[in-house]
């Protein structure tokens, strides 16, 4: 494919690799992570886009006959914290209730923005799918192929990683086939080329992950052993917990970031949601993410019901200020949030399916359909571009499937 230099020019201070000789690279140098626990845990975290690993999965993958699984987990956790120190990414423990809040699930999670080669590849493919010029699309596919060069999962043994290695190698080969086909055929649509080649690799969890760009969205890849078993050779697609929602806040200027953040947390608290921030905010413009879940007293409500109530409060504050003034005790969180946005030229706040967007001094409140939500999940960079997000949602209306429209609109 020739010689390229772009593959290394975008390297950040800390890179995470599923391909090549090192899992973790700091300032261009590999960080030694020993096998037998630390390296396996790091790989499991990187494979999963949500950056979470159930303790049951780690125990199944790093099964040591006669060994102390708890001690291996503790040592691996400590080793990773040391390796990640100063990188802007950290590892933390988590505990959630599953199975109707009767069974507790413990595990590990990465906190911060991990720059992973597998994710860079997907991002490039997302761009290539949207490009209708054959030369540009093929160059993007070439860059995607170069972002995952090298043997995958080096140094990791056992049936679980062996199965994943086979799938990763097949995914690498797919990109080469796509590139050759595009060059030979002059095809301008990657989607059409994709449909000719990707079906040959079904089922392949990594290809399915990339395939979200052409109509297979909505699932989160967790290469997981089945809970309660030790069958670590399987890969299972699962949806996020029903009682967990992604929340984010973007401010174009960020001058009033502290007040906006407090107001958002206050609004969520009033709605019966609690959360934890993923990472420190990105500066310049201001952006931060957190996950929220229902409290015990609101666990009987669905997130859709809670989000609808938050939407009602925000709409009342934005579009019916006289009523909001009368009922300000109920709308305090929403009022504080809208007030905090006054000095911002552009902003975007997401709470699950709810979007509050400010562009050109106008505030738009939008509750996403499942189709729109799936589209947003593969174009999350638009959360940092409110104007582009609005344009994208407007364009999406013309292509939204009839199944997502009200019954009276169906033919």
């Amino acid at each position: 494919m020739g010689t390229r230099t772009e593959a290394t020019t975008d390297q950040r201070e800390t890179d995470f690799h599923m391909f090549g000789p090192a899992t973790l690279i700091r300032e261009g140098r590999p960080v030694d992570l020993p096998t037998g626990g630390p390296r396996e845990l790091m790989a499991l975290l990187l494979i999963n886009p949500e950056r979470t690993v159930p303790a049951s999965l780690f125990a199944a993958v790093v099964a040591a006959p006669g060994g102390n699984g708890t001690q291996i987990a503790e040592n691996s956790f400590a080793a990773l914290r040391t390796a990640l120190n100063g990188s802007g990414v950290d590892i933390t423990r988590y505990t959630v209730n599953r199975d109707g809040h009767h069974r507790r699930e413990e595990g590990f999670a990465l906190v911060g923005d991990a720059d992973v080669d597998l994710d860079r590849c997907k991002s490039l493919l997302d761009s290539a799918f949207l490009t209708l010029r054959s030369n540009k699309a093929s160059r993007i596919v070439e860059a995607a192929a170069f972002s995952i060069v090298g043997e995958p999962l080096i140094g990791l043994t056992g049936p679980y990683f062996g199965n994943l290695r086979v799938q990763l190698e097949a995914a690498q080969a797919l990109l080469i086939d796509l590139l050759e086909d595009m060059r030979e055929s002059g095809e301008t649509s990657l989607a059409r080329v994709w449909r000719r080649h990707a079906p040959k690799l079904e089922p392949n969890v990594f290809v399915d992950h990339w395939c979200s760009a052409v109509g297979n969205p909505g699932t989160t890849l967790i290469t997981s052993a089945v809970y309660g078993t030790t069958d670590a050779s399987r890969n299972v697609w699962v949806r996020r917990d029903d009682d967990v929602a992604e929340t984010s806040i973007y401010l174009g200027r960020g001058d009033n970031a502290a007040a906006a953040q407090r107001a958002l947390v206050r609004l969520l608290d009033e709605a019966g949601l609690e959360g934890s921030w993923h990472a420190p905010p990105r500066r310049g413009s201001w952006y931060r993410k957190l996950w929220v879940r229902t409290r015990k007293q609101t666990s009987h409500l669905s997130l859709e019901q809670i989000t609808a109530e938050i939407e009602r409060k925000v709409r009342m504050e934005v579009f019916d200020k006289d009523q909001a003034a009368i009922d300000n005790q109920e709308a305090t969180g929403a009022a504080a949030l809208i007030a905090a946005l006054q000095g911002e030229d552009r902003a975007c706040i997401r709470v699950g399916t709810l979007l509050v967007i400010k562009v050109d001094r106008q505030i738009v409140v939008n509750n996403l359909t499942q189709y729109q939500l799936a589209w947003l999940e593969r174009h999350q960079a638009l959360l940092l571009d409110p104007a582009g997000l609005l344009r994208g949602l407007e364009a999406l209306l013309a292509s939204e499937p009839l199944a997502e429209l009200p019954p009276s609109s169906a033919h």
Side-chain angles (χ1 to χ4, degrees):
M1 288 188 292
T3 302
R4 293 179 62 89
T5 59
E6 288 90 330
T8 58
T9 56
D10 191 38
Q11 190 176 65
R12 301 182 184 181
E13 180 185 355
T14 305
D15 292 331
F16 299 86
H17 287 214
M18 299 308 303
F19 300 83
T23 302
L24 175 60
I25 296 178
R26 295 287 299 275
E27 297 181 345
R29 297 183 177 181
V31 175
D32 182 29
L33 286 175
T35 57
R39 191 176 182 85
E40 286 81 356
L41 180 55
M42 184 81 264
L44 290 173
L45 287 162
L46 298 182
I47 289 169
N48 172 24
E50 297 306 319
R51 313 294 178 230
T52 61
V53 171
S56 57
L57 171 60
F58 177 73
V61 171
V62 193
N68 188 329
T70 301
Q71 189 61 52
I72 293 174
E74 288 293 324
N75 293 344
S76 301
F77 177 82
L80 279 188
R81 291 212 75 179
T82 299
L84 294 169
N85 184 41
S87 69
V89 178
D90 197 4
I91 182 173
T92 184
R93 293 183 177 89
Y94 71 84
T95 303
V96 298
N97 292 324
R98 296 187 182 276
D99 300 338
H101 304 281
H102 295 301
R103 185 161 71 92
R104 297 176 71 82
E105 174 70 272
E106 297 182 347
F108 307 94
L110 279 188
V111 180
D113 295 317
D115 186 30
V116 186
D117 52 5
L118 195 62
D119 296 343
R120 290 196 298 271
C121 182
K122 182 186 185 303
S123 179
L124 287 165
L125 287 174
D126 284 346
S127 299
F129 278 116
L130 298 174
T131 301
L132 299 181
R133 292 168 48 201
S134 60
N135 289 341
K136 184 177 180 181
S138 64
R139 287 198 300 269
I140 296 175
V141 174
E142 182 181 1
F146 268 94
S147 70
I148 56 171
V149 169
E151 180 185 344
L153 305 175
I154 291 178
L156 300 176
T157 60
Y160 184 86
F161 288 117
N163 180 43
L164 294 183
R165 184 175 293 107
V166 169
Q167 296 191 58
L168 284 166
E169 289 172 342
Q172 285 177 304
L174 171 65
L175 296 192
I176 303 302
D177 290 343
L178 293 174
L179 183 60
E180 292 178 351
D181 192 334
M182 295 186 76
R183 286 174 170 172
E184 292 175 2
S185 67
E187 177 61 71
T188 59
S189 170
L190 175 58
R192 284 193 287 268
V193 178
W194 183 276
R195 283 191 285 269
R196 289 200 291 267
H197 293 273
K200 296 181 294 186
L201 298 183
E202 294 180 353
N204 184 306
V205 292
F206 301 103
V207 172
D208 287 343
H209 179 48
W210 291 335
C211 196
S212 65
V214 285
N216 185 26
T219 51
T220 297
L221 172 61
I222 300 183
T223 51
S224 168
V226 177
Y227 290 120
T229 76
T230 58
D231 181 7
S233 64
R234 296 187 59 189
N235 298 304
V236 180
W237 283 80
V238 299
R239 293 188 181 275
R240 293 186 184 126
D241 291 342
D242 291 337
D243 62 343
V244 179
E246 182 175 337
T247 299
S248 62
I249 178 170
Y250 167 81
L251 305 173
R253 293 168 58 89
D255 295 341
N256 217 14
Q261 180 174 270
R262 286 195 302 270
L264 177 59
V265 171
R266 184 179 180 182
L267 177 60
L268 296 172
D269 180 70
E270 290 172 358
L273 296 174
E274 59 184 358
S276 58
W277 296 100
H278 265 205
R282 300 179 189 176
R283 301 294 181 175
S285 56
W286 197 92
Y287 177 71
R288 201 170 190 191
K289 290 174 63 175
L290 74 158
W291 288 101
V292 295
R293 65 172 62 244
T294 54
R295 290 199 185 91
K296 182 177 181 180
Q297 59 268 34
T298 54
S299 60
H300 63 289
L301 299 174
S302 68
L303 272 172
E304 287 76 11
Q305 291 173 308
I306 294 175
T307 302
E309 178 61 15
I310 294 174
E311 180 188 10
R312 185 189 71 81
K313 291 183 177 183
V314 172
R315 285 186 179 277
M316 184 173 66
E317 179 61 29
V318 174
F319 303 115
D320 193 4
K321 291 191 175 181
D322 290 339
Q323 177 62 35
I326 295 171
D327 198 18
N328 62 7
Q329 183 176 1
E330 183 181 15
T332 51
L337 182 61
I338 299 305
L341 297 183
Q342 293 306 308
E344 296 292 333
D345 56 346
R346 61 191 190 281
C348 181
I349 298 169
R350 176 189 180 186
V351 182
T353 60
L354 176 65
L355 284 179
V356 179
I357 301 172
K358 183 176 182 182
V359 178
D360 297 330
R361 301 182 180 179
Q362 298 295 318
I363 293 180
V364 178
V365 182
N366 194 338
N367 205 321
L368 302 178
T369 66
Q370 288 302 308
Y371 184 66
Q372 292 169 330
L373 184 62
W375 174 84
L376 179 61
E377 286 199 356
R378 60 183 186 268
H379 296 94
Q380 292 209 21
L382 289 177
L383 291 171
L384 282 68
D385 178 12
L389 179 55
L390 272 181
R391 289 193 299 270
L393 289 172
E394 290 170 357
L396 198 63
L397 287 175
S399 61
E400 192 161 354
L402 291 177
E404 294 288 338
L405 298 176
S408 60
S409 300
H411 298 289

